[in-house]
Amino acid sequence: MSATLAGTAPLTAERVAERLREKFPGAAVRPVTGEAMRDVGIEVSADRLVEIATFLRDEREFEFAFLSWIAGVDWLPAEPRFEVVYGLLSLAHNARLNLRVRVPEENPRLPSVVAVWPTANWHERETYDFYGIEFTGHPDLRRILLPEDWVGWPLRKDSPLGYEEVAFTHNTPGRRLPSPDLTRLKPKKVTYRAQ
Amino acid sequence: MTESKTPNPYRPLVPSGAPEVPPVSDALEPISEEQRMREEVERGVLFTSVGSMVNWAVNQSRANAIWPLGFGLACCAIEMMAIAGPRFDISRFGAEVFRGSPRQADLMIVAGRVSVKMAPVLRQLYDQMPSPKYVISMGACASCGGIFNNYAILQGVDKIVPVDVYVPGCPPRPEALIHGIMKLQEKILASPVEVGTLTFRPRRKKGVA
Amino acid sequence: MTLNMGPQHPSTHGVLRVALELDGETVVRCQPIIGYLHTGMEKQAEYKTYTQSIPQTDRMDYLSPLSNNLALCLAAEKLLGIEPPPRVQAIRVLLTELTRISSHCVWLGTHAIDIGAMTVFWYCFREREKVLSIYDQVCGARMTASYFRVGGLASDIPAGLLDRCQKFVDEMPAHVDEYEKLLTRNPIWLARTKDVAPLSARYAVALGASGPVLRGSGVSWDLRKAQPYSGYEQYQFDVPVGTVGDAYDRYQVRVQEMRQSTRIANQAIAKVREYGESGDYRLRDYKYVLPPKEEVKTSMEALIHHFKIVAHGFFPPKGEAYQAVEAPKGELGFYFISDGTPRPWRMKVRSPSFVNLQTLPTMVEGRLVADVIAAIGSIDIVLGEVDR
């Protein structure tokens, strides 16, 4: 939701794209719209990410000084495979923006925005932990939620859920079915200690 | 006081005067076992068996003073804190001292989901507890993985430690956990005690504490 | 000296591990290590429908389960483009504010008992038991309620609930007075929390803190006022803001929030009574929301909708939505990416405790080791939310 202060027009993706294109000519900037895309979204490319992030943070019209969240997305089988979405919040103008970057599978690397928003430290570690996307320039990139020696990137679409089969009579080998003789299935009368 | 229908099995206490001394007679009149025991009791002697003594000294003491380790992992921990609270008072069972260190605790209530990262820590804590030690698996996640059947959660804490009592629920009500602790108390009271080379097995008597 | 405040510790509010490097009693470096309660909820949500993920959210911030349910339901409703009827919104606000009171009660009780004030723990849990009885009456479970559904509630509120809530709301301010009488001007409490674990406003915003941690540092930002949801713009309440950003300010912010929550709950009860003690508890949009049972038994379309929604789940449009609520701990948000199927393609949870915990090193480095306990207590973390 982008509620605004009285008098200012609500933030739109086109406005942000326009300002970004005039400030960074040649950068690939694309507003993301769609029927059920309920937030303001801008897609940028990875090479100018840090500059664009700094601009969005410092520019008086936007002032996105608060990085709320970073989410990794796996779009298997689409190419490029991964996407990293930065959820930005402007406290001064009461607006939200989703900044999106596509990351290819062969080289899953992105520049880190820790210098722009220090809170990105743990968010990027979490995205690395789940998807294996490396953030260059991150001071301490290692696993955060899973054990340090875990192998694999669990939230990728080709990683399994790790579901353990629950043992029922139909899938446990060698298990005998209970006798159909109902008297033997009668519940045993239990006497409790304190009578 | 009205005359009661059944004869009073106890000898009346003499209010004043010399205490009544049972007559020492040489005649061997038949006297029932119960009568004889009652006479002995009044002389201040009580007969029991070594097994019951040992049971009282060891098992009852253990059962009535189980000191849990403060090992709350997730949501079940809050219900575990609630039994320490004023409404469901676990102090009645002698178990309100939640020890911080495993070396001083008897009971580990695994309250909450055990993740794969936490499992070696849990095993280390269990190993650090001195015998006799008991484990209550509280809640569905500790018993069998609960609603989380995925890569990150251990499907039941009994994969790494032996469990004495399972308490189902998500989370189990504090009354349910107290019921689980009472079941553990029963289990402790029924467990054999080894004194040297002798093993005392408690006799299962209904209704006797 | 390196000291490990291990995952099992009486004061870490769950399985948090803090690696401290000490020089005598002074903390040189502090590094929280998390992940001991990682549950894989985000991965699991990709295999469940939206409604099936609601019980998972109860287990995230398990001190305020209805807040988490609300966040998920609002995010799903934003994605679908629907809004529940105003009576439902008022009931949601009422229960969420009671949740906030109960969460702050646990926070105060455990924070006080870590610092040494044991009496407050018993008193706070006594109040919490009353809120839990209300939960029990409303949905059957004491803690993990899962009462909200996408488009409404699981069932209508039972008779007598509003009177019970009113009784609780009437007597709560006296209890908050009791807590304040014990703590606010207590010299020991002041010595342990005043100027302890300070966080300046600049650092708070840079580190992404939200909720009472951000407000305690002087930034007046509350999502209920700035980006209202579920009808919060109709209620009158104040937002307490601190000045210095130390543990005492955060304590004051939360205690005043308890009072404001009582105020909001009072207004919400009046509003629900106005709409009717029993009535519509779900939106009548059967494409996404279950129809009421009476209609299922009489109308053919309602039956088919019911069957489709229960057997398969509702089909949201292809798109994305992020919705945040002001949970007792801070900004709790859910980001859904939908590919048109009943199971979300991605569910991302923006949990406040995960981000707020990042402020711990800034708060305690250079301070005494006893302040670490006060700092962890004053940030108010719940490990279920941190690790998800």
Side-chain angles (χ1 to χ4, degrees):
Chain A
M1 271 201 269
S2 39
T4 56
L5 307 166
T8 54
L11 186 74
T12 58
E14 285 78 20
R15 174 79 191 133
V16 179
E18 185 190 313
R19 290 295 318 273
L20 283 176
R21 280 194 200 107
E22 80 186 42
K23 176 81 182 168
F24 303 100
V29 171
R30 187 178 70 88
V32 176
T33 47
E35 176 227 324
M37 304 293 281
R38 310 283 183 202
D39 310 310
V40 177
I42 291 279
E43 188 177 320
V44 299
S45 63
D47 49 354
R48 315 283 299 261
L49 176 65
V50 181
E51 298 168 310
I52 292 176
T54 321
F55 172 71
L56 287 171
R57 185 191 66 178
D58 298 330
E59 181 63 22
R60 289 257 20 230
E61 187 185 346
F62 302 131
E63 280 188 71
F64 287 110
F66 193 94
L67 173 67
S68 192
W69 46 276
I70 300 181
V73 188
D74 182 356
W75 287 109
L76 192 74
E79 276 294 325
R81 180 174 173 184
F82 297 114
E83 187 173 19
V84 176
V85 187
Y86 298 79
L88 307 175
L89 170 64
S90 169
L91 300 175
H93 301 278
N94 196 358
R96 285 195 193 268
L97 175 72
N98 286 0
L99 189 67
R100 320 167 69 101
V101 191
R102 292 299 285 245
V103 180
E105 181 176 358
E106 321 70 58
N107 185 20
R109 249 176 215 103
L110 265 191
S112 165
V113 294
V114 170
V116 184
W117 298 291
T119 184
N121 195 323
W122 278 19
H123 290 287
E124 287 179 351
R125 276 178 70 185
E126 185 194 340
T127 315
Y128 167 71
D129 195 2
F130 284 159
Y131 290 96
I133 297 173
E134 286 176 31
F135 291 89
T136 52
H138 192 279
D140 185 24
L141 193 68
R142 55 193 165 93
R143 287 195 182 268
I144 188 170
L145 291 178
L146 284 137
E148 289 90 26
D149 49 359
W150 191 271
V151 172
W153 313 110
L155 249 67
R156 286 194 182 187
K157 290 287 174 178
D158 45 5
S159 291
L161 179 60
Y163 182 93
E164 187 182 285
E165 276 294 325
V166 181
F168 291 106
T169 46
H170 62 83
N171 61 6
T172 311
R175 178 168 166 163
R176 284 179 310 128
L177 293 172
S179 145
D181 180 6
L182 291 176
T183 52
R184 287 193 50 225
L185 291 177
K186 205 168 55 182
K188 212 169 58 168
K189 179 153 170 47
V190 177
T191 52
Y192 288 98
R193 200 174 48 85
Q195 290 290 10
Chain B
M1 208 153 71
T2 55
E3 197 52 53
S4 62
K5 299 272 170 45
T6 54
N8 188 353
Y10 299 102
R11 283 210 191 142
L13 292 172
V14 180
S16 63
E20 201 186 282
V21 177
V24 176
S25 71
D26 296 332
L28 295 164
E29 46 182 58
I31 186 170
S32 72
E33 186 64 24
E34 199 195 6
Q35 189 75 337
R36 193 187 66 76
M37 280 187 73
R38 290 197 198 288
E39 292 181 28
E40 293 290 344
V41 166
E42 283 172 40
R43 292 205 192 107
V45 177
L46 182 63
F47 280 96
T48 179
S49 68
V50 177
S52 310
M53 272 298 296
V54 169
N55 194 38
W56 167 77
V58 176
N59 279 345
Q60 270 204 359
S61 320
R62 281 182 190 156
N64 294 339
I66 310 181
W67 287 5
L69 173 68
F71 196 57
L73 294 168
C75 351
C76 283
I78 309 296
E79 294 292 56
M80 195 170 72
M81 280 155 63
I83 60 170
R87 189 169 172 188
F88 312 97
D89 194 8
I90 205 182
S91 192
R92 307 175 272 170
F93 301 90
E96 82 276 14
V97 269
F98 278 83
R99 309 303 300 169
S101 160
R103 303 249 185 230
Q104 298 164 359
D106 307 304
L107 169 65
M108 182 161 80
I109 304 182
V110 183
R113 45 192 188 262
V114 185
S115 83
V116 173
K117 197 166 175 179
M118 189 66 192
V121 178
L122 197 152
R123 180 72 212 183
Q124 192 179 20
L125 287 167
Y126 178 76
D127 290 335
Q128 284 177 340
M129 282 166 68
S131 265
K133 50 192 169 184
Y134 310 101
V135 175
I136 289 185
S137 154
M138 176 186 179
C141 293
S143 306
C144 66
I147 66 173
F148 302 110
N149 194 345
N150 54 33
Y151 64 90
I153 293 290
L154 207 61
Q155 298 297 302
V157 77
D158 51 6
K159 288 192 190 288
I160 48 177
V161 294
V163 174
D164 293 298
V165 179
Y166 297 87
V167 184
C170 194
R173 280 191 69 108
E175 291 101 329
L177 180 60
I178 294 180
H179 183 76
I181 293 180
M182 286 173 69
K183 276 258 176 272
L184 180 68
Q185 283 182 332
E186 285 177 35
K187 186 172 180 174
I188 295 174
L189 289 170
S191 53
V193 182
E194 291 180 28
V195 178
T197 50
L198 304 169
T199 307
F200 294 98
R201 292 211 162 69
R203 282 179 299 172
R204 300 181 68 90
K205 254 180 160 176
K206 217 168 48 166
V208 174
Chain C
M1 170 171 91
T2 312
L3 183 69
N4 178 46
M5 266 178 72
Q8 188 264 337
H9 191 279
S11 309
T12 53
H13 299 270
V15 282
L16 168 69
R17 182 169 158 214
V18 184
L20 294 166
E21 272 173 37
L22 301 174
D23 174 22
E25 285 263 332
T26 320
V27 175
V28 171
R29 207 168 150 245
C30 158
Q31 200 194 19
I33 301 170
I34 58 176
Y36 289 95
L37 201 58
H38 178 60
T39 317
M41 287 191 193
E42 296 184 359
K43 176 85 177 173
Q44 194 161 324
E46 294 171 14
Y47 291 76
K48 307 231 176 264
T49 64
Y50 293 82
T51 312
Q52 286 172 339
S53 293
I54 295 176
Q56 272 194 25
T57 59
D58 279 330
R59 278 95 183 146
M60 269 180 214
D61 176 3
Y62 37 81
L63 298 177
S64 54
L66 284 179
S67 260
N68 313 13
N69 292 354
L70 181 68
L72 191 147
C73 291
L74 288 176
E77 284 161 13
K78 185 174 175 187
L79 176 66
L80 297 172
I82 60 177
E83 204 177 279
R87 175 170 181 266
V88 169
Q89 292 185 347
I91 296 174
R92 281 180 173 179
V93 166
L94 166 64
L95 290 171
T96 310
E97 291 305 318
L98 289 179
T99 310
R100 192 183 309 271
I101 295 174
S102 113
S103 169
H104 284 330
C105 272
V106 177
W107 160 78
L108 185 58
T110 49
H111 186 36
I113 203 175
D114 286 343
I115 292 190
M118 224 169 149
T119 315
V120 187
F121 177 77
W122 306 125
Y123 287 176
C124 287
F125 267 71
R126 185 189 57 190
E127 262 60 78
R128 188 178 142 79
E129 289 292 331
K130 294 179 190 149
V131 178
L132 292 181
S133 311
I134 292 177
Y135 268 39
D136 202 352
Q137 191 184 6
V138 122
C139 64
R142 267 164 61 98
M143 225 168 74
T144 46
S146 304
Y147 181 56
F148 300 152
R149 294 281 182 272
V150 178
L153 310 169
S155 57
D156 201 359
I157 54 173
L161 178 76
L162 291 176
D163 297 323
R164 211 154 160 200
C165 291
Q166 186 69 57
K167 182 159 163 276
F168 174 73
V169 156
D170 288 337
E171 62 184 32
M172 192 61 199
H175 291 303
V176 182
D177 288 335
E178 229 174 18
Y179 311 148
E180 287 218 82
K181 203 155 62 164
L182 281 172
L183 291 177
T184 305
R185 299 227 303 255
N186 188 328
I188 304 179
W189 185 259
L190 288 170
R192 288 282 325 245
T193 54
K194 212 130 185 47
D195 291 325
V196 159
L199 185 70
S200 69
R202 232 185 90 229
Y203 276 127
V205 173
L207 288 167
S210 55
V213 180
L214 185 63
R215 289 197 282 280
S217 300
V219 180
S220 168
W221 176 257
D222 187 331
L223 281 171
R224 295 174 290 172
K225 290 276 195 204
Q227 299 176 355
Y229 50 89
S230 194
Y232 264 105
E233 58 270 1
Q234 303 161 26
Y235 299 91
Q236 295 178 352
F237 60 100
D238 305 316
V239 172
V241 175
T243 43
V244 176
D246 56 6
Y248 187 72
D249 271 350
R250 290 190 280 275
Y251 153 78
Q252 280 285 27
V253 163
R254 287 195 183 101
V255 168
Q256 298 310 318
E257 264 183 22
M258 276 205 263
R259 291 194 198 277
Q260 296 303 318
S261 287
T262 321
R263 206 169 142 198
I264 303 175
N266 222 344
Q267 296 170 39
I269 294 175
K271 222 179 256 291
V272 177
R273 278 199 216 274
E274 191 188 300
Y275 286 119
E277 286 210 24
S278 66
D280 251 357
Y281 59 94
R282 279 194 200 129
L283 183 65
R284 286 182 182 262
D285 182 355
Y286 305 151
K287 217 156 73 98
Y288 302 124
V289 182
L290 280 178
K293 216 50 177 173
E294 304 83 41
E295 286 200 30
V296 170
K297 292 184 196 277
T298 50
S299 142
M300 191 57 187
E301 293 119 25
L303 177 67
I304 296 175
H305 282 299
H306 177 96
F307 174 72
K308 252 331 233 182
I309 292 177
V310 169
H312 211 164
F314 54 79
F315 288 80
K318 236 174 116 145
E320 306 171 6
Y322 174 76
Q323 173 67 30
V325 305
E326 185 72 27
K329 314 275 181 302
E331 176 186 328
L332 171 66
F334 276 77
Y335 176 58
F336 277 117
I337 300 183
S338 146
D339 59 345
T341 61
R343 300 189 159 79
W345 185 258
R346 171 84 165 107
M347 175 179 98
K348 156 86 187 157
V349 183
R350 191 262 182 215
S351 71
S353 304
F354 179 73
V355 188
N356 290 354
L357 193 53
Q358 278 191 75
T359 62
L360 183 68
T362 318
M363 282 184 191
V364 299
E365 275 172 8
R367 312 241 148 202
L368 301 175
V369 72
D371 294 342
V372 176
I373 308 290
I376 295 177
S378 75
I379 302 178
D380 193 11
I381 50 167
V382 171
L383 266 298
E385 203 173 43
V386 170
D387 291 338
R388 276 162 280 128

